[in-house]
Amino acid sequence: MGYGQQQQSPRAVGRRTLLGSAVAVAAAGLTTTEASAAPATPGAPRTPHAPRTSALWREFAESPYTHPQIPYVGKAGQRAGADRFPRHRVVADVRAYGAKGDGSVDDAPAINRALAAAGERGGGTVTIPPGTYRIDDVIRIAHSDVVLRGAGSGRTKLYATKSLTELIGPYGSRYGGDKSSWSWAGGLIWLCPQERWDSLTSAIKERAWPFEGWTGNKRDEWRTLTGVGRARRGDRSVTVQDASAASAASKLRRGQLVLLRLVDDADHTLLEHMAGGGPGTEAYDWDAMTKLTSYVPYEWPVRVMSVHGRKVTLERPLPLDVRPEWDPRLTTLVTPLTGSGVEGLTLEAAETPQSAHLLDKGYNGVAFQCAYDCWADDVVVRHVDNGFGLIAASACTLSRTRVAGRGAHHPYYCREGSHDNLIEDFVIERRTVPAPAGTQLHGINVEGLSSYNVWSRGLMEMGTFDTHRGMPFANVRTEITVTNDGRHGGDAIAGPLYGARFTHWNVTVTNERAGLIKIDGIAPYSATAGISEVREFDQIDVPDFTGELHTRLEVYGRPEDIRPRNLYEAQRGVPS
């Protein structure tokens, strides 16, 4: 098949098949009992029986946008979870810009020239034919609607010879200490809008360690479009509240990307709301969590779908309540990267020993930053410090991705307020060399108030369901097999491990380790449904909040019996 021809992504077939099964099961209205939540007796024989529809699922289906334990994530991913990726016309072949593809020369300048030319023409696909392309620099996708497409992850290889420390410079932490921020930022393939890239890298070179999100290095690059009125989590629209409503509404248009901005108050009621509310959250010492409190305001990018008078309809349901005490606004944001992707290639870094914990040099894979409706498909990264990064990235899809080689610090990480992303059909391979002393392995990470992200259909031969504190909330991990041997990280001043509505659904644990998988005793207003029988050992956590956590445990010890099998796929069938 030629580069410019249409082809159906394998994810589309699998999704429709799974979705049809889930909807059929839900429609059958079968019953279950609360006895399914009781822990299995170790070593007891299993009695064969027909799998039954989850009681939790039936509850969720009755109130999908306001369920207390399970978030609605049915629109996670690029273009609200569309089955196919856009197919931009082919506008360049990297060989026409001087790339050799035989490993003999640095092909990064040629690849970057081709990508820049495509962006200056308004977008398009840049192809990389089969071969090995040595890159001695970062590959930058800095314009919207630009796709870098190889001939397949088994045929096109980018061989990276240098780290981000060598290419850009040392990157310290804005919170002090001797940590390297390349331990959780940046990629040797980096999808980031041009102006944001220039601003970030200039700050790093000047050692003015930046915030990395949607409102600039100092979080001041925004202006108010309109204030909005009170609304509830799950609503699809907000009401313009400015004195001149007609003038405020005129600043908004269909298809526009805006930020919903919510500011915490002196009593930290916004943070309490993110954690589910109640006496436990009110008793928590939020003021002591200085790193966490630097993460608010909460910034949620979303597209405007329509404007009718004072009513503004959004692409996704509201992630939180909207209350006057949080000064709710729709604002501008930095110019985003939209509609861009990377497909069909392997990025292999020169094999170097993994660095000591938090001192990564930046042999990193693919990073999405200030990106919306972007994607990666059929991409492998090998011998990297950190694999796939979502840094203030939202509504992106990573499909058929894989982390392989000598072992990574963060195989997948999701931070700096990243929301509504979908990571599906992913693999973390067992490391090929023993872990050096002083290193750490995390896994599929989410932190920093990131919300409504999904990890679906994964195989983790090592790692864990990592959170680095920073109270991420309303995230889903579903239909995953994991050898749970990683550890979580996070500063004590970064606050709770979990906010409300974390859901682990259909998870097979191969080594019986409970930590960060069975979360009914740790995460407030959470659901642990259909996981293997596990036990505590190694890293053991205690709840951050006192009192009743309002958690749910269902079909414990029998992941094969949970129905629907994939929570995300089933939610795709819930009417909008």
Side-chain angles (χ1 to χ4, degrees), residues 215-535:
T215 50
N217 295 345
K218 297 181 179 180
R219 301 191 75 180
D220 58 0
E221 296 178 31
W222 59 275
R223 59 182 175 81
T224 300
L225 295 169
T226 179
V228 295
R230 186 183 295 272
R232 297 293 301 275
R233 173 170 64 92
D235 289 351
R236 284 291 300 276
S237 61
V238 293
T239 303
V240 168
Q241 291 291 296
D242 282 4
S244 174
S247 174
S250 70
K251 300 175 185 177
L252 303 172
R253 66 184 186 279
R254 176 179 171 81
Q256 183 179 4
L257 192 60
V258 298
L259 277 185
L260 172 66
R261 186 175 189 270
L262 301 176
V263 180
D264 201 15
D265 59 11
D267 293 328
H268 299 296
T269 60
L270 176 59
L271 291 173
E272 290 174 5
H273 176 55
M274 292 175 182
T281 67
E282 293 169 4
Y284 190 75
D285 189 0
W286 298 103
D287 285 323
M289 303 299 142
T290 53
K291 190 170 185 178
L292 173 67
T293 54
S294 77
Y295 296 161
V296 286
Y298 176 77
E299 296 173 337
W300 182 63
V302 65
R303 284 198 189 280
V304 173
M305 300 307 291
S306 67
V307 182
H308 295 292
R310 295 172 59 191
K311 181 179 179 181
V312 181
T313 301
L314 306 173
E315 184 176 25
R316 292 175 170 85
L318 288 174
L320 294 165
D321 288 354
V322 174
R323 302 178 188 172
E325 56 265 37
W326 301 332
D327 190 22
R329 309 175 184 210
L330 297 180
T331 77
T332 61
L333 62 164
V334 299
T335 302
L337 185 76
T338 61
S340 295
V342 55
E343 303 174 347
L345 57 83
T346 290
L347 172 65
E348 181 176 315
E351 186 171 359
T352 59
Q354 186 177 346
S355 296
H357 190 223
L358 301 177
L359 297 178
D360 295 351
K361 296 180 174 63
Y363 289 101
N364 294 347
V366 183
F368 292 79
Q369 188 156 10
C370 297
Y372 192 98
D373 278 344
C374 294
W375 69 92
D377 183 39
D378 183 28
V379 176
V380 176
V381 297
R382 182 174 290 117
H383 303 322
V384 292
D385 293 337
N386 301 282
F388 292 88
L390 296 160
I391 310 122
S394 292
C396 295
T397 297
L398 310 183
S399 180
R400 300 190 299 159
T401 56
R402 180 180 295 259
V403 180
R406 50 87 155 156
H409 180 190
H410 295 94
Y412 291 84
Y413 60 99
C414 180
R415 54 177 294 271
E416 201 82 2
S418 290
H419 315 291
D420 302 303
N421 297 293
L422 170 64
I423 301 94
E424 64 178 357
D425 300 311
F426 65 94
V427 176
I428 301 174
E429 291 186 4
R430 174 65 54 186
R431 65 190 314 139
T432 54
V433 296
T439 61
Q440 280 204 16
L441 164 67
H442 298 308
I444 52 175
N445 158 267
V446 60
E447 60 182 275
L449 301 183
S450 296
S451 62
Y452 294 85
N453 301 290
V454 178
W455 290 260
S456 172
R457 294 197 305 268
L459 173 61
M460 299 173 59
E461 296 179 349
M462 63 178 189
T464 193
F465 289 6
D466 174 40
T467 165
H468 271 41
R469 300 195 172 272
M471 202 170 68
F473 66 94
N475 297 282
V476 168
R477 284 115 169 202
T478 183
E479 199 176 348
I480 298 171
T481 297
V482 53
T483 299
N484 185 19
D485 61 359
R487 299 173 67 85
H488 73 72
D491 292 341
I493 57 171
L497 282 166
Y498 304 96
R501 298 184 304 285
F502 247 86
T503 301
H504 291 171
W505 187 284
N506 186 8
V507 180
T508 300
V509 184
T510 65
N511 61 339
E512 298 185 345
R513 180 177 181 263
L516 299 171
I517 308 292
K518 187 177 183 291
I519 57 174
D520 58 291
I522 301 294
Y525 289 93
S526 64
T528 304
I531 71 162
S532 303
E533 184 179 327
V534 291
R535 58 192 175 91

Side-chain angles (χ1 to χ4, degrees), residues 38-102:
T41 302
R46 294 175 180 261
T47 303
H49 65 278
R52 299 173 179 177
T53 303
S54 158
L56 267 170
W57 171 256
R58 293 200 312 276
E59 288 178 16
F60 173 84
E62 292 175 0
S63 58
Y65 308 114
T66 57
H67 193 276
Q69 282 90 13
I70 300 176
Y72 173 74
V73 293
K75 289 188 175 293
Q78 63 93 30
R79 296 186 301 152
D83 282 337
R84 292 180 176 83
F85 300 116
R87 302 292 290 181
H88 300 311
R89 66 187 181 91
V90 174
V91 296
D93 182 319
V94 297
R95 293 173 302 185
Y97 287 80
K100 300 297 184 185
D102 61 5

